[in-house]
């Protein structure tokens, strides 16, 4: 597939015709974090399946809808459900949502995910503000012909996770019931959970948490020059940290428990951005 600016513009034009105004901030919701979508006021909902050239979410806990509305008085676009390489999408396809949001006028991107803790000082229910990431698996989403309208062929990612937004997230955490850290996220392609040996390597490399998403969206946003904040909800201790097997049910249950306070924290963040 030859991705041109016109390819993404078709999706953006369709969404613009649906109404909902120009969103200032886009929020991408990770596994079981969908309850935040209920905070969107006067929502205009669009199923991913309706959007030309868009992708379909196949994960059961992802609603597969794009919502436009307001949160804390700010115009937002909220992706309730995201896309992963383990669903069968190529890394190049995973640029689609962020590029479409860029064409809609979004200025700031907020990514969320459910993650496993590598750092032994973390515990389920904590939140980690991403300051950096490690990606040693898979292609770059920017592989292939560069689309100059979005950004240059070669681009800097040393400050991809925008420092002022990170500071804001940490400052607001002081008035929250959540335990919030700042750390490094390591990407694994999944869908299997990581092995204990892989987690030992991740810890040695400086990772604090691991997961199967977020990094492709972050790289795409960086290429587009969009300020970016990313948050991991710690849903479990990673493989080998505790002497028990991991399960998707454990992840889902932990995410559901934290959904309420995390949604309140997110609303304060959106209001302050």
């Amino acid at each position: 597939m030859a991705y041109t600016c016109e390819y993404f513009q078709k999706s953006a034009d369709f969404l613009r015709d649906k109404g909902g105004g120009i969103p200032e901030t886009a929020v991408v919701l990770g596994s079981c974090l969908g309850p935040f979508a209920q905070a969107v006021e006067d929502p205009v909902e669009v199923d991913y399946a309706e959007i030309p050239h868009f992708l379909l979410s196949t994960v059961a806990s992802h609603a597969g809808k794009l919502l436009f509305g307001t949160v804390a008085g700010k115009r937002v676009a909220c992706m309730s459900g995201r896309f992963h390489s383990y669903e069968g999408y190529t890394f190049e396809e995973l640029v689609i949502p962020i590029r479409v949001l860029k064409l809609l006028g979004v200025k700031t991107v907020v990514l969320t995910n459910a993650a496993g803790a590598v750092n032994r000082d973390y515990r389920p229910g904590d939140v980690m503000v991403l300051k950096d990431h490690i990606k040693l698996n898979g292609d770059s989403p920017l592989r292939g012909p560069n689309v100059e309208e979005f950004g240059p062929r070669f681009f800097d990612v040393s400050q991809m996770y925008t420092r002022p937004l990170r500071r804001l997230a940490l400052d607001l955490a002081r008035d929250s019931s959540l335990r919030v850290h700042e750390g490094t996220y390591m990407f694994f392609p999944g869908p299997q959970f990581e092995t204990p040996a892989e987690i030992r390597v991740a810890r040695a490399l400086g990772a604090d948490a691991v997961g199967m998403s977020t990094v492709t969206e972050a790289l795409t946003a960086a290429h587009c020059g969009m300020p970016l904040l990313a948050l991991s909800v710690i849903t479990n201790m990673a493989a080998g940290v505790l002497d028990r097997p991991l399960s998707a049910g454990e992840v889902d249950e932990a995410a559901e428990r934290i959904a309420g306070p995390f949604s309140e924290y997110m609303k304060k963040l959106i209001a302050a951005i």
Side-chain angles (χ1 to χ4, degrees), residues 116-121 134 184 186 188 195-210 237-242:
V118 176
N119 190 321
R120 292 189 177 92
D121 291 333
I134 301 167
T184 298
M186 188 164 181
F188 284 86
T195 69
E198 287 170 337
I199 294 305
R200 290 196 296 273
V201 170
R203 186 177 297 113
L205 291 174
D208 296 290
V210 295
M237 304 306 292
V241 178
L242 301 177

Side-chain angles (χ1 to χ4, degrees), residues 16-77:
R16 194 172 287 111
D17 289 343
K18 286 288 184 179
I22 298 174
E24 303 167 65
T25 303
V27 181
V28 179
L29 297 174
S31 297
C32 295
L33 300 176
F36 173 77
Q38 298 169 11
V40 179
E41 299 172 4
D42 302 318
V44 174
E45 294 189 9
V46 185
D47 286 343
Y48 292 161
E50 297 179 44
I51 307 170
H53 298 167
F54 216 65
L55 306 177
L56 298 178
S57 181
T58 67
V59 180
S61 60
H62 291 230
K65 293 182 179 182
L66 187 55
L67 290 84
F68 297 92
T70 60
V71 173
K74 301 290 184 71
R75 301 296 307 176
V76 299

Side-chain angles (χ1 to χ4, degrees), residues 92-268:
E92 294 95 323
E93 287 178 296
L94 296 175
V95 303
I96 290 173
I98 298 298
R99 285 185 171 177
V100 170
L101 291 167
K102 170 72 172 179
L103 291 173
L104 282 173
V106 166
K107 304 300 182 188
T108 303
V109 176
V110 180
L111 306 175
T112 71
N113 63 61
V118 176
N119 190 321
R120 292 189 177 92
D121 291 333
Y122 293 7
R123 62 179 182 239
D126 289 359
V127 174
M128 184 183 81
V129 178
L130 275 67
K131 65 179 179 182
D132 207 344
H133 77 239
I134 301 167
K135 177 184 176 297
L136 303 178
N137 290 291
D139 292 323
S140 168
L142 286 310
R143 178 179 177 269
N146 187 52
V147 184
E148 293 290 338
E149 291 91 339
F150 291 108
R153 168 80 289 182
F154 303 104
F155 58 104
D156 179 59
V157 291
S158 59
Q159 292 297 323
M160 176 167 34
Y161 299 99
T162 309
R163 185 173 293 166
L165 292 177
R166 285 159 38 203
R167 281 201 209 101
L168 176 65
L170 292 169
D171 287 345
L172 289 175
R174 295 188 186 122
D175 296 324
S176 169
S177 62
L178 300 170
R179 285 207 333 155
V180 180
H181 315 273
E182 189 175 40
T184 298
Y185 178 92
M186 188 164 181
F187 171 80
F188 284 86
Q192 73 283 351
F193 292 114
E194 304 74 29
T195 69
E198 287 170 337
I199 294 305
R200 290 196 296 273
V201 170
R203 186 177 297 113
L205 291 174
D208 296 290
V210 295
M212 306 172 192
S213 68
T214 301
V215 166
T216 52
E217 298 146 333
L219 289 167
T220 306
H223 182 247
C224 290
M226 302 170 81
L228 170 68
L229 176 66
L231 304 166
S232 291
V233 172
I234 303 301
T235 53
N236 58 283
M237 304 306 292
V241 178
L242 301 177
D243 186 20
R244 65 171 187 245
L246 301 180
S247 72
E250 175 188 7
V251 171
D252 292 350
E253 288 171 13
E256 288 169 7
R257 283 197 300 272
I258 196 178
F262 184 71
S263 293
E264 291 302 312
Y265 176 61
M266 284 288 294
K267 283 192 280 188
K268 292 177 181 177

